[in-house]
Amino acid sequence: MVKAEQVHKSFGHTEVLKGIDLEVAAQEVFCLVGPSGSGKSTFLRCINHLEKINAGRLYVDGRLVGYRQKGDRLYELREREVAEQRKDIGMVFQRFNLFPHMTALQNVMEAPVQVKGESKAVARERAERLLERVGLADRMRNYPAQLSGGQQQRVAIARALAMEPKLMLFDEPTSALDPELVGEVLDVMRGLAEDGMTMIVVTHEMGFAREVGDSIVFMDDGVVVESGNPRDVLTNPQHERTQAFLSKVL
């Protein structure tokens, strides 16, 4: 579903990604862990072209992300074409980014109506079903300010799912939440994994990575340091940098 080949990304003179190679299979739960500033979130944003890579190739479902290749040269896609690609990729951020003037139901309906041109009736039916799925059937008509952080994040997940994506990206979805609210969001993500959704999750929740993840990558300073089965990597890390990191977070 996702293939990265020697992906590089710099901000000015600062090289954030230094040649990332990895593959994510369809229906896989792929966890990215590592210290702050290691490039995890930047890589995630490159997958849907929110950040433009400086070198390498990124593919989602066999299609080059953000570019068209002719011969040996790459040509950047127009914004409309990039937006078309993004329809297949759902993203959930640390901050919930909900529209404050819209109810939970309206937030989930908005993109299918505005981007896909769906009828409000069809979008409403799906939105109600998704909000029920994330445990918010009784909160559909609440505004974001009337919801807890965990509830807002579950609305954000439902909103991403409303576009019926092939791939879901989660950028530390629980890091802005109070500890007692983390579990309700992780439970929704567990349900998505059980349903076969392909997921790339940047997370500090090592228990989730061990329990739900199919693969884990430890990144540091813009490179992949270690990868493998989450149980193996978290229990018996081979690289001393991975060992040092896990000794602080486990």
Side-chain angles (χ1 to χ4, degrees):
M1 182 60 76
V2 179
K3 184 176 184 180
E5 298 176 345
Q6 281 297 298
V7 170
H8 289 256
K9 174 63 184 176
S10 298
F11 294 102
H13 296 296
T14 304
E15 194 176 16
V16 178
L17 300 177
K18 302 174 181 177
I20 301 294
D21 288 299
L22 56 80
E23 291 187 16
V24 181
Q27 300 191 323
E28 185 173 9
V29 179
F30 191 96
C31 296
L32 282 172
V33 302
S36 296
S38 59
K40 308 181 303 296
S41 294
T42 297
F43 177 69
L44 210 65
R45 292 171 65 84
C46 289
I47 292 172
N48 62 4
H49 208 58
L50 288 174
E51 299 290 354
K52 300 174 185 179
I53 64 176
N54 299 113
R57 301 282 192 278
L58 255 174
Y59 300 88
V60 171
D61 200 22
R63 294 176 64 195
L64 196 58
V65 173
Y67 297 91
R68 175 188 300 107
Q69 185 161 347
K70 266 192 172 181
D72 294 333
R73 298 196 62 181
L74 289 183
Y75 299 88
E76 189 169 3
L77 298 178
R78 292 190 290 272
E79 186 56 42
R80 181 172 50 80
E81 295 170 302
V82 173
E84 190 67 30
Q85 287 188 334
R86 286 197 189 117
K87 288 181 184 178
D88 291 331
I89 305 171
M91 188 157 185
V92 178
F93 300 87
Q94 293 179 38
R95 298 288 168 184
F96 325 120
N97 297 342
L98 299 176
F99 295 115
H101 62 290
M102 293 183 179
T103 64
L105 184 67
Q106 290 167 334
N107 264 281
V108 178
M109 288 174 58
E110 182 71 2
V113 172
Q114 298 298 332
V115 179
K116 280 186 164 181
E118 283 187 359
S119 72
K120 287 191 175 182
V122 169
R124 175 184 289 273
E125 184 182 342
R126 185 189 300 113
E128 288 176 349
R129 189 170 70 246
L130 287 170
L131 286 167
E132 189 171 339
R133 179 179 178 181
V134 300
L136 293 173
D138 60 338
R139 298 286 186 171
M140 293 186 191
R141 282 158 186 80
N142 287 65
Y143 290 90
Q146 299 169 314
L147 301 172
S148 71
Q151 290 168 336
Q152 289 185 62
Q153 192 60 297
R154 284 185 280 156
V155 174
I157 293 172
R159 180 179 62 179
L161 291 172
M163 291 293 285
E164 301 182 310
K166 299 175 182 176
L167 169 68
M168 284 285 284
L169 309 177
F170 292 88
D171 187 5
E172 297 188 26
T174 59
S175 64
L177 301 179
D178 293 333
E180 67 268 24
L181 301 177
V182 168
E184 62 191 47
V185 173
L186 294 182
D187 284 345
V188 171
M189 293 170 66
R190 281 188 191 92
L192 290 178
E194 288 166 6
D195 290 345
M197 175 60 74
T198 310
M199 298 159 60
I200 302 179
V201 186
V202 172
T203 185
H204 293 297
E205 302 291 337
M206 298 303 160
F208 174 86
R210 182 190 289 110
E211 178 192 341
V212 184
D214 298 302
S215 301
I216 193 169
V217 158
F218 172 70
M219 284 180 65
D220 188 31
D221 196 28
V223 299
V224 172
V225 176
E226 190 166 344
S227 62
N229 179 288
R231 270 69 70 196
D232 297 338
V233 172
L234 295 174
T235 306
N236 187 28
Q238 300 300 301
H239 196 284
E240 62 181 36
R241 182 67 191 90
T242 319
Q243 294 167 4
F245 173 76
L246 291 176
S247 71
K248 294 187 176 77
V249 300
L250 288 178

